[in-house]
Amino acid sequence: MKKVLILGALAGQVDAVESLRRRKVEVHVCAHEPTGPGVEAADRFHLADIRDTDQVLRLAEKIGADVVYSVGSDIAMPTVAEVSDKLGLPFFHSEALTDTLRRKQALRERLNDAGLSPVAHTTVGAGEPVPEWDVFPSIVKPVDAQGQRGISVVHTTNELADAVEVARDSSISGPVIIEEFLQGPEVSAHVIVENGRVKFFLPSDRHVWQGPLVGVPEAHSVPLGDTTRVWELQLRELVEGVVATLGVNDGPLYFQTIFTSNGPRIIEVASRLDGCHLWRLIKASTGIDILDAVLGRLLGDPWPEFPDELRPAAMTLGFFLDSPDITVTDEYVRLVSRADAEFAQIQVPIGESPRRTNELVARVGYHVYPGV
């Protein structure tokens, strides 16, 4: 029986655990503390910080892992690449590439230098003063955090210093990036590259929560709506340009973009699948299981034959967003999910409150249902 070590124990990793179990694989999960649904889902849980390559390397050697991987976690991907490379295990993207994609300013510099998705920006290093900046509105964010942590939209110079400090508090390495605030509908795209060519490309509308936090998704839907469909070809061309510029040869990428009046602009590119369970939306809409395809490729399978043209059925993945202070009850579970949902999951145990990532909103679960 093959063994796979999954880095991280949050809900997104459980999808990978369950997919691997369907393949009769022994699944080990590690995290720096024994919290999250991945602890119980795994065949075995281990304490190891997913950012500490030495800890993960020793653990992978100890259990005899055939694959080390993670989904939905940018901070895990450089560890995945370095550990896999040192142990001679299969992996998709190099440590250098995963590090570039994880650090927002590094990716922005590479794209701007190549004339791809140009966005005005500047970086504030750890301990550095706020530089002169006159592009407003602007967005200020940590270069390496996840989950919309530490992000602020500012409209005047007077707001910059406070916004930089908020971002620094959530930054792993310290630096903060200031960018022009891109405005327009948001679109995500799942991409799979094989031998340097884009073999799978599926964009989806990213519907943003209208609360005070910036960029929190409340739903994703396919196919693209009338407003965004007109830019789909340009997005495909942009994705292919990024793949060529970054030298991506094989594996999954996840693009977050905004369709501005000047065309698609990239917010982020991730060297892994998303953290929003979108593989379920894609499978329900197209019949293609990209999570299983990615894991299968690492286990030695060839990529499936992806169709040249996708014709996704209209489907939506919607999140149950609520106050982080709520307590989940049986009645709550009964009320939130749609009757026509093809899949629904509450990710907080009955009698408990959601995992707190901010003071305003928490993701309690999600469902996938027909229509947009």
PDB file of all heavy atoms in Angstrom, residues 100-120:
ATOM      1  N   THR A 100       8.029  31.896  -5.502  1.00  0.00           N
ATOM      2  CA  THR A 100       7.645  33.085  -6.264  1.00  0.00           C
ATOM      3  C   THR A 100       6.141  33.291  -6.224  1.00  0.00           C
ATOM      4  O   THR A 100       5.650  34.412  -6.005  1.00  0.00           O
ATOM      5  CB  THR A 100       8.106  32.956  -7.730  1.00  0.00           C
ATOM      6  OG1 THR A 100       9.522  32.965  -7.778  1.00  0.00           O
ATOM      7  CG2 THR A 100       7.566  34.108  -8.574  1.00  0.00           C
ATOM      8  N   LEU A 101       5.384  32.236  -6.417  1.00  0.00           N
ATOM      9  CA  LEU A 101       3.927  32.358  -6.431  1.00  0.00           C
ATOM     10  C   LEU A 101       3.370  32.654  -5.041  1.00  0.00           C
ATOM     11  O   LEU A 101       2.324  33.289  -4.915  1.00  0.00           O
ATOM     12  CB  LEU A 101       3.299  31.075  -6.990  1.00  0.00           C
ATOM     13  CG  LEU A 101       3.648  30.751  -8.444  1.00  0.00           C
ATOM     14  CD1 LEU A 101       2.904  29.512  -8.912  1.00  0.00           C
ATOM     15  CD2 LEU A 101       3.343  31.925  -9.370  1.00  0.00           C
ATOM     16  N   ARG A 102       4.067  32.200  -4.012  1.00  0.00           N
ATOM     17  CA  ARG A 102       3.595  32.450  -2.645  1.00  0.00           C
ATOM     18  C   ARG A 102       3.817  33.905  -2.230  1.00  0.00           C
ATOM     19  O   ARG A 102       3.030  34.456  -1.458  1.00  0.00           O
ATOM     20  CB  ARG A 102       4.330  31.517  -1.679  1.00  0.00           C
ATOM     21  CG  ARG A 102       3.844  31.596  -0.241  1.00  0.00           C
ATOM     22  CD  ARG A 102       4.584  30.600   0.620  1.00  0.00           C
ATOM     23  NE  ARG A 102       5.975  30.933   0.768  1.00  0.00           N
ATOM     24  CZ  ARG A 102       6.472  31.730   1.708  1.00  0.00           C
ATOM     25  NH1 ARG A 102       5.663  32.313   2.577  1.00  0.00           N
ATOM     26  NH2 ARG A 102       7.759  31.967   1.787  1.00  0.00           N
ATOM     27  N   ARG A 103       4.871  34.528  -2.751  1.00  0.00           N
ATOM     28  CA  ARG A 103       5.192  35.906  -2.366  1.00  0.00           C
ATOM     29  C   ARG A 103       4.625  36.856  -3.410  1.00  0.00           C
ATOM     30  O   ARG A 103       5.095  36.921  -4.538  1.00  0.00           O
ATOM     31  CB  ARG A 103       6.708  36.076  -2.218  1.00  0.00           C
ATOM     32  CG  ARG A 103       7.287  35.259  -1.069  1.00  0.00           C
ATOM     33  CD  ARG A 103       8.774  35.494  -0.884  1.00  0.00           C
ATOM     34  NE  ARG A 103       9.540  35.061  -2.047  1.00  0.00           N
ATOM     35  CZ  ARG A 103      10.289  35.860  -2.790  1.00  0.00           C
ATOM     36  NH1 ARG A 103      10.345  37.163  -2.518  1.00  0.00           N
ATOM     37  NH2 ARG A 103      10.959  35.398  -3.817  1.00  0.00           N
ATOM     38  N   LYS A 104       3.606  37.592  -3.013  1.00  0.00           N
ATOM     39  CA  LYS A 104       2.839  38.399  -3.964  1.00  0.00           C
ATOM     40  C   LYS A 104       3.704  39.401  -4.722  1.00  0.00           C
ATOM     41  O   LYS A 104       3.479  39.665  -5.908  1.00  0.00           O
ATOM     42  CB  LYS A 104       1.701  39.111  -3.223  1.00  0.00           C
ATOM     43  CG  LYS A 104       0.671  38.160  -2.626  1.00  0.00           C
ATOM     44  CD  LYS A 104      -0.369  38.898  -1.814  1.00  0.00           C
ATOM     45  CE  LYS A 104      -1.440  37.960  -1.268  1.00  0.00           C
ATOM     46  NZ  LYS A 104      -0.904  36.959  -0.320  1.00  0.00           N
ATOM     47  N   GLN A 105       4.690  39.999  -4.044  1.00  0.00           N
ATOM     48  CA  GLN A 105       5.493  41.009  -4.729  1.00  0.00           C
ATOM     49  C   GLN A 105       6.410  40.364  -5.766  1.00  0.00           C
ATOM     50  O   GLN A 105       6.685  40.953  -6.822  1.00  0.00           O
ATOM     51  CB  GLN A 105       6.297  41.849  -3.718  1.00  0.00           C
ATOM     52  CG  GLN A 105       7.652  41.322  -3.306  1.00  0.00           C
ATOM     53  CD  GLN A 105       7.590  40.206  -2.279  1.00  0.00           C
ATOM     54  OE1 GLN A 105       6.569  39.569  -2.097  1.00  0.00           O
ATOM     55  NE2 GLN A 105       8.706  39.974  -1.587  1.00  0.00           N
ATOM     56  N   ALA A 106       6.878  39.154  -5.499  1.00  0.00           N
ATOM     57  CA  ALA A 106       7.759  38.482  -6.454  1.00  0.00           C
ATOM     58  C   ALA A 106       7.002  38.138  -7.735  1.00  0.00           C
ATOM     59  O   ALA A 106       7.515  38.321  -8.848  1.00  0.00           O
ATOM     60  CB  ALA A 106       8.344  37.216  -5.830  1.00  0.00           C
ATOM     61  N   LEU A 107       5.776  37.654  -7.574  1.00  0.00           N
ATOM     62  CA  LEU A 107       4.966  37.354  -8.755  1.00  0.00           C
ATOM     63  C   LEU A 107       4.640  38.622  -9.523  1.00  0.00           C
ATOM     64  O   LEU A 107       4.744  38.655 -10.762  1.00  0.00           O
ATOM     65  CB  LEU A 107       3.670  36.652  -8.333  1.00  0.00           C
ATOM     66  CG  LEU A 107       2.660  36.407  -9.465  1.00  0.00           C
ATOM     67  CD1 LEU A 107       3.243  35.483 -10.520  1.00  0.00           C
ATOM     68  CD2 LEU A 107       1.351  35.853  -8.910  1.00  0.00           C
ATOM     69  N   ARG A 108       4.267  39.677  -8.807  1.00  0.00           N
ATOM     70  CA  ARG A 108       3.914  40.929  -9.480  1.00  0.00           C
ATOM     71  C   ARG A 108       5.103  41.466 -10.284  1.00  0.00           C
ATOM     72  O   ARG A 108       4.933  41.941 -11.417  1.00  0.00           O
ATOM     73  CB  ARG A 108       3.461  41.957  -8.432  1.00  0.00           C
ATOM     74  CG  ARG A 108       2.938  43.238  -9.005  1.00  0.00           C
ATOM     75  CD  ARG A 108       1.680  43.020  -9.823  1.00  0.00           C
ATOM     76  NE  ARG A 108       0.537  42.649  -9.019  1.00  0.00           N
ATOM     77  CZ  ARG A 108      -0.519  42.002  -9.487  1.00  0.00           C
ATOM     78  NH1 ARG A 108      -0.571  41.640 -10.756  1.00  0.00           N
ATOM     79  NH2 ARG A 108      -1.535  41.697  -8.699  1.00  0.00           N
ATOM     80  N   GLU A 109       6.295  41.380  -9.735  1.00  0.00           N
ATOM     81  CA  GLU A 109       7.478  41.862 -10.448  1.00  0.00           C
ATOM     82  C   GLU A 109       7.740  41.043 -11.710  1.00  0.00           C
ATOM     83  O   GLU A 109       8.054  41.595 -12.773  1.00  0.00           O
ATOM     84  CB  GLU A 109       8.692  41.829  -9.516  1.00  0.00           C
ATOM     85  CG  GLU A 109       8.629  42.893  -8.424  1.00  0.00           C
ATOM     86  CD  GLU A 109       9.599  42.638  -7.287  1.00  0.00           C
ATOM     87  OE1 GLU A 109      10.392  41.671  -7.395  1.00  0.00           O
ATOM     88  OE2 GLU A 109       9.558  43.376  -6.280  1.00  0.00           O
ATOM     89  N   ARG A 110       7.593  39.716 -11.612  1.00  0.00           N
ATOM     90  CA  ARG A 110       7.807  38.860 -12.785  1.00  0.00           C
ATOM     91  C   ARG A 110       6.797  39.188 -13.881  1.00  0.00           C
ATOM     92  O   ARG A 110       7.138  39.270 -15.060  1.00  0.00           O
ATOM     93  CB  ARG A 110       7.683  37.386 -12.390  1.00  0.00           C
ATOM     94  CG  ARG A 110       8.826  36.838 -11.574  1.00  0.00           C
ATOM     95  CD  ARG A 110      10.084  36.613 -12.395  1.00  0.00           C
ATOM     96  NE  ARG A 110       9.921  35.609 -13.441  1.00  0.00           N
ATOM     97  CZ  ARG A 110      10.050  34.293 -13.261  1.00  0.00           C
ATOM     98  NH1 ARG A 110      10.341  33.821 -12.041  1.00  0.00           N
ATOM     99  NH2 ARG A 110       9.918  33.462 -14.273  1.00  0.00           N
ATOM    100  N   LEU A 111       5.537  39.373 -13.493  1.00  0.00           N
ATOM    101  CA  LEU A 111       4.499  39.650 -14.485  1.00  0.00           C
ATOM    102  C   LEU A 111       4.703  41.024 -15.117  1.00  0.00           C
ATOM    103  O   LEU A 111       4.587  41.176 -16.345  1.00  0.00           O
ATOM    104  CB  LEU A 111       3.117  39.563 -13.829  1.00  0.00           C
ATOM    105  CG  LEU A 111       2.699  38.190 -13.313  1.00  0.00           C
ATOM    106  CD1 LEU A 111       1.316  38.272 -12.696  1.00  0.00           C
ATOM    107  CD2 LEU A 111       2.720  37.141 -14.408  1.00  0.00           C
ATOM    108  N   ASN A 112       4.981  42.038 -14.310  1.00  0.00           N
ATOM    109  CA  ASN A 112       5.185  43.377 -14.856  1.00  0.00           C
ATOM    110  C   ASN A 112       6.385  43.419 -15.795  1.00  0.00           C
ATOM    111  O   ASN A 112       6.358  44.068 -16.850  1.00  0.00           O
ATOM    112  CB  ASN A 112       5.353  44.390 -13.723  1.00  0.00           C
ATOM    113  CG  ASN A 112       4.017  44.848 -13.155  1.00  0.00           C
ATOM    114  OD1 ASN A 112       2.979  44.249 -13.412  1.00  0.00           O
ATOM    115  ND2 ASN A 112       4.045  45.902 -12.357  1.00  0.00           N
ATOM    116  N   ASP A 113       7.462  42.720 -15.424  1.00  0.00           N
ATOM    117  CA  ASP A 113       8.653  42.691 -16.281  1.00  0.00           C
ATOM    118  C   ASP A 113       8.343  42.065 -17.637  1.00  0.00           C
ATOM    119  O   ASP A 113       8.944  42.430 -18.656  1.00  0.00           O
ATOM    120  CB  ASP A 113       9.786  41.909 -15.605  1.00  0.00           C
ATOM    121  CG  ASP A 113      10.406  42.666 -14.440  1.00  0.00           C
ATOM    122  OD1 ASP A 113      10.145  43.878 -14.319  1.00  0.00           O
ATOM    123  OD2 ASP A 113      11.140  42.037 -13.650  1.00  0.00           O
ATOM    124  N   ALA A 114       7.400  41.125 -17.649  1.00  0.00           N
ATOM    125  CA  ALA A 114       7.038  40.449 -18.893  1.00  0.00           C
ATOM    126  C   ALA A 114       5.906  41.153 -19.635  1.00  0.00           C
ATOM    127  O   ALA A 114       5.493  40.705 -20.703  1.00  0.00           O
ATOM    128  CB  ALA A 114       6.633  39.010 -18.599  1.00  0.00           C
ATOM    129  N   GLY A 115       5.400  42.247 -19.072  1.00  0.00           N
ATOM    130  CA  GLY A 115       4.294  42.958 -19.693  1.00  0.00           C
ATOM    131  C   GLY A 115       2.988  42.209 -19.621  1.00  0.00           C
ATOM    132  O   GLY A 115       2.085  42.419 -20.435  1.00  0.00           O
ATOM    133  N   LEU A 116       2.860  41.334 -18.613  1.00  0.00           N
ATOM    134  CA  LEU A 116       1.636  40.557 -18.431  1.00  0.00           C
ATOM    135  C   LEU A 116       0.857  41.091 -17.241  1.00  0.00           C
ATOM    136  O   LEU A 116       1.405  41.222 -16.140  1.00  0.00           O
ATOM    137  CB  LEU A 116       1.976  39.079 -18.181  1.00  0.00           C
ATOM    138  CG  LEU A 116       2.599  38.319 -19.342  1.00  0.00           C
ATOM    139  CD1 LEU A 116       3.134  36.973 -18.858  1.00  0.00           C
ATOM    140  CD2 LEU A 116       1.577  38.112 -20.451  1.00  0.00           C
ATOM    141  N   SER A 117      -0.407  41.435 -17.452  1.00  0.00           N
ATOM    142  CA  SER A 117      -1.265  41.901 -16.369  1.00  0.00           C
ATOM    143  C   SER A 117      -0.594  43.018 -15.562  1.00  0.00           C
ATOM    144  O   SER A 117      -0.432  42.912 -14.354  1.00  0.00           O
ATOM    145  CB  SER A 117      -1.608  40.722 -15.445  1.00  0.00           C
ATOM    146  OG  SER A 117      -2.455  41.110 -14.393  1.00  0.00           O
ATOM    147  N   PRO A 118      -0.170  44.118 -16.215  1.00  0.00           N
ATOM    148  CA  PRO A 118       0.553  45.174 -15.489  1.00  0.00           C
ATOM    149  C   PRO A 118      -0.302  45.836 -14.414  1.00  0.00           C
ATOM    150  O   PRO A 118      -1.448  46.210 -14.653  1.00  0.00           O
ATOM    151  CB  PRO A 118       0.918  46.170 -16.593  1.00  0.00           C
ATOM    152  CG  PRO A 118      -0.080  45.930 -17.686  1.00  0.00           C
ATOM    153  CD  PRO A 118      -0.386  44.470 -17.635  1.00  0.00           C
ATOM    154  N   VAL A 119       0.268  45.935 -13.215  1.00  0.00           N
ATOM    155  CA  VAL A 119      -0.418  46.542 -12.072  1.00  0.00           C
ATOM    156  C   VAL A 119       0.591  47.403 -11.321  1.00  0.00           C
ATOM    157  O   VAL A 119       1.693  46.935 -10.991  1.00  0.00           O
ATOM    158  CB  VAL A 119      -0.995  45.467 -11.127  1.00  0.00           C
ATOM    159  CG1 VAL A 119      -1.588  46.107  -9.870  1.00  0.00           C
ATOM    160  CG2 VAL A 119      -2.058  44.621 -11.838  1.00  0.00           C
ATOM    161  N   ALA A 120       0.238  48.663 -11.057  1.00  0.00           N
ATOM    162  CA  ALA A 120       1.114  49.538 -10.269  1.00  0.00           C
ATOM    163  C   ALA A 120       1.236  48.992  -8.853  1.00  0.00           C
ATOM    164  O   ALA A 120       0.230  48.619  -8.235  1.00  0.00           O
ATOM    165  CB  ALA A 120       0.554  50.953 -10.242  1.00  0.00           C
TER     166      ALA A 120
END
